Amino acid sequence: MKLLSEEKKNAVLQSMMDYMKEDKEAIIAANKKDLDAFDRDDQALYDRLVVDSAKVDDMIRAVREVKEQNDPVGKIISDDTLENGLKITNKTAPFGTIMIIYESRPDVTIEAAVLAFKANNKILLKGGKEAHKSNEELVKCWHKALKDHGLEEDWIQYLKMDRATTQEFLRNPDQPLDLIVPRGGEKLINFVKEHAKCAVLISGRGNNFAYVAPDADMDKVIPVIVNAKTDKISGCNALDKILVDKNHPDFEGTLRKIESELSNAGVEIVASSKVIDKLDTKNEIKDENVWYEEFLAMKAAFDSVDGLDDAIETINRYSGGHSNIILTENNDDALKFMEQIDSAAVYQNASTRFTDGGQMGVGAELAISTDKLHHRGPLGLKQLVTNKYYVLGTGQIRK
């Protein structure tokens, strides 16, 4: 990879912000064509597709934030001189070419590209067909910004492919690929893992749980659960499952209070056979697969558990490994929960909606990784580099 100076990269990003401001109406008009052609039956996907004036401003803000961050390339991780005189320096380095496959959200076309480019990577953007016109308009801005500073358009490429063509590309890419990030549901992730010939970093599903401990403070429980469930149902950090400890001194009252608050907010309640007789809902869960499901809808599932260990075991069995909450005033129990729950983010008495690059201080993000290699959690600018060893010698040989 040709290494670009930080000044050159920042100049491109400044031009990109200028073009998005100039072309705001064209971007919104292109998005309207996508919206007009979209089937509103999938409300979560529709919500992710919308680009209005505020969303364009938010895209510009994301570019500005990345521009203001330090260049992550060439940073020294370690620097040692061995007894034999070899000087060994480990530095951050670009991946090379990153491919991201995503659905609906045109803002990914901005956030993924700005992060990859500032980290000196080329990026291939494979957006969903439902957002083609929006994405193409945004990529026009990228290409104008690159051209203004003497760079080739292939730094940021938009791939307009159907499923069969994508599958063939993954098997036999026409250019080097170093990393693929599938950002979507289980089917998309499995599709990419099956066909890709390079490293795949999983941006996994949500299916997040809240465990209400016996000592939970209801003044915290209600706002946290309602916010986590209803603030943005299309987010992978939305809450889907609520487990109330059967040892709670007001077990039934707690179940009913949470159900009432969620129902009043328009959430459909489903429940296990263990708790349905204590709730108003008549929607009993009869299929265990529901516990593995990410709803992406105004829907929540209720169950009971018997103690902290049971809660941990249940969540680790069914959760997508994204974000999970314990609601308790016992800090020792919270620490045990947070250490033993296998997910990218764990919370005590706070909404899962904070699992987001901007909210966690990372800034714009490529995705929320639920993988354990090479990083887990928000993939921000600092996470879009790998490393390289520089070994300086004076003729040393190994004996």
Side-chain angles (χ1 to χ4, degrees):
M1 289 289 296
K2 177 183 178 182
L3 291 183
L4 304 176
S5 69
E6 184 172 13
E7 291 73 22
K8 171 82 81 171
K9 290 185 283 192
N10 284 345
V12 171
L13 299 188
Q14 182 59 55
S15 293
M16 182 58 184
M17 289 188 286
D18 294 340
Y19 281 123
M20 281 195 289
K21 289 177 186 175
E22 290 177 17
D23 298 346
K24 178 185 281 192
E25 294 307 317
I27 294 166
I28 294 170
N31 179 252
K32 186 176 187 306
K33 293 178 182 177
D34 287 329
L35 293 173
D36 289 344
F38 190 79
D39 183 353
R40 286 289 296 267
D41 286 348
D42 191 334
Q43 187 62 43
L45 203 62
Y46 182 89
D47 291 345
R48 291 198 293 262
L49 179 58
V50 174
V51 176
D52 53 18
S53 180
K55 180 58 71 71
V56 176
D57 289 343
D58 200 46
M59 294 178 187
I60 294 170
R61 176 197 54 77
V63 175
R64 182 182 302 109
E65 286 180 355
V66 173
K67 177 177 177 286
E68 291 172 354
Q69 291 185 59
N70 292 330
D71 193 326
V73 178
K75 302 301 182 187
I76 294 175
I77 300 170
S78 63
D79 192 11
D80 298 297
T81 300
L82 305 185
E83 289 184 4
N84 62 10
L86 285 177
K87 180 176 174 57
I88 300 178
T89 305
N90 187 14
K91 296 183 183 181
T92 57
F95 275 101
T97 300
I98 299 171
M99 179 180 186
I100 182 167
I101 304 176
Y102 55 106
E103 299 169 328
S104 189
R105 289 182 51 184
D107 48 331
V108 175
T109 304
I110 299 302
E111 292 193 9
V114 69
L115 290 165
F117 179 73
K118 181 72 181 267
N120 218 107
N121 301 290
K122 292 184 177 180
I123 190 161
L124 310 182
L125 301 159
K126 168 59 182 76
K129 63 181 183 298
E130 68 283 348
H132 275 328
K133 295 189 184 302
S134 307
N135 289 334
E136 287 174 332
E137 197 65 37
L138 291 167
V139 171
K140 284 181 188 177
C141 295
W142 277 122
H143 287 170
K144 288 189 289 186
L146 289 165
K147 185 178 179 181
D148 283 353
H149 298 279
L151 296 177
E152 299 296 324
E153 292 182 357
D154 66 359
W155 280 94
I156 297 169
Q157 301 174 47
Y158 182 63
L159 305 181
K160 195 173 180 179
M161 298 175 175
D162 60 18
R163 182 182 178 87
T165 309
T166 302
Q167 180 175 316
E168 182 57 31
F169 181 83
L170 292 174
R171 287 174 174 160
N172 300 293
D174 61 6
Q175 56 184 299
L177 277 183
D178 299 286
L179 178 69
I180 300 176
V181 181
R183 183 165 169 165
E186 203 80 355
K187 288 182 180 178
L188 172 62
I189 291 167
N190 291 335
F191 174 83
V192 174
K193 288 169 68 176
E194 179 182 355
H195 299 293
K197 301 297 184 185
C198 67
V200 177
L201 199 153
I202 304 303
S203 174
R205 63 192 175 94
N207 191 31
N208 305 310
F209 283 66
Y211 164 55
V212 182
D215 71 330
D217 181 346
M218 291 303 288
D219 288 338
K220 298 174 184 175
V221 169
I222 297 303
V224 165
I225 286 180
V226 171
N227 177 261
K229 176 65 261 181
T230 66
D231 182 60
K232 186 178 181 182
I233 60 170
S234 62
C236 55
N237 54 19
L239 180 68
D240 282 336
K241 311 295 182 339
I242 295 135
L243 308 176
V244 177
D245 200 303
K246 62 184 289 187
N247 302 296
H248 194 290
D250 187 17
F251 175 55
E252 183 170 342
T254 299
L255 282 167
R256 294 182 69 83
K257 177 64 174 172
I258 298 170
E259 179 192 35
S260 173
E261 295 289 343
L262 288 177
S263 295
N264 290 340
V267 178
E268 174 194 359
I269 306 299
V270 297
S272 73
S273 59
K274 292 189 289 183
V275 298
I276 196 163
D277 62 334
K278 298 172 177 61
L279 298 169
D280 290 333
T281 183
K282 302 299 184 252
N283 298 321
E284 183 176 345
I285 298 169
K286 304 246 177 119
D287 182 354
E288 186 190 12
N289 288 325
V290 171
W291 295 105
Y292 292 101
E293 182 182 348
E294 180 184 25
F295 292 151
L296 297 174
M298 289 289 275
K299 178 179 178 181
F302 281 58
D303 200 1
S304 65
V305 288
D306 186 4
L308 178 60
D309 289 340
D310 189 22
I312 292 169
E313 181 182 345
T314 300
I315 294 170
N316 283 339
R317 181 185 311 126
Y318 296 115
S319 166
H322 195 290
S323 305
N324 294 287
I325 315 168
I326 181 171
L327 292 140
T328 181
E329 298 304 299
N330 186 316
N331 291 335
D332 290 337
D333 284 353
L335 181 59
K336 180 178 178 180
F337 177 93
M338 297 169 87
E339 288 176 341
Q340 295 190 15
I341 288 294
D342 188 12
S343 63
V346 284
Y347 290 83
Q348 178 187 8
N349 299 333
S351 170
T352 53
R353 288 284 293 128
F354 288 105
T355 309
D356 170 88
Q359 295 294 319
M360 287 186 158
V362 174
E365 69 187 38
L366 186 75
I368 302 291
S369 169
T370 54
D371 226 337
K372 297 183 183 180
L373 297 173
H374 111 107
H375 175 78
R376 189 154 62 158
L379 287 166
L381 184 61
K382 292 180 180 178
Q383 289 75 44
L384 281 186
V385 290
T386 181
N387 67 294
K388 181 189 294 186
Y389 282 92
Y390 293 70
V391 183
L392 304 181
T394 54
Q396 289 91 337
I397 61 173
R398 182 171 175 175
K399 297 179 181 179

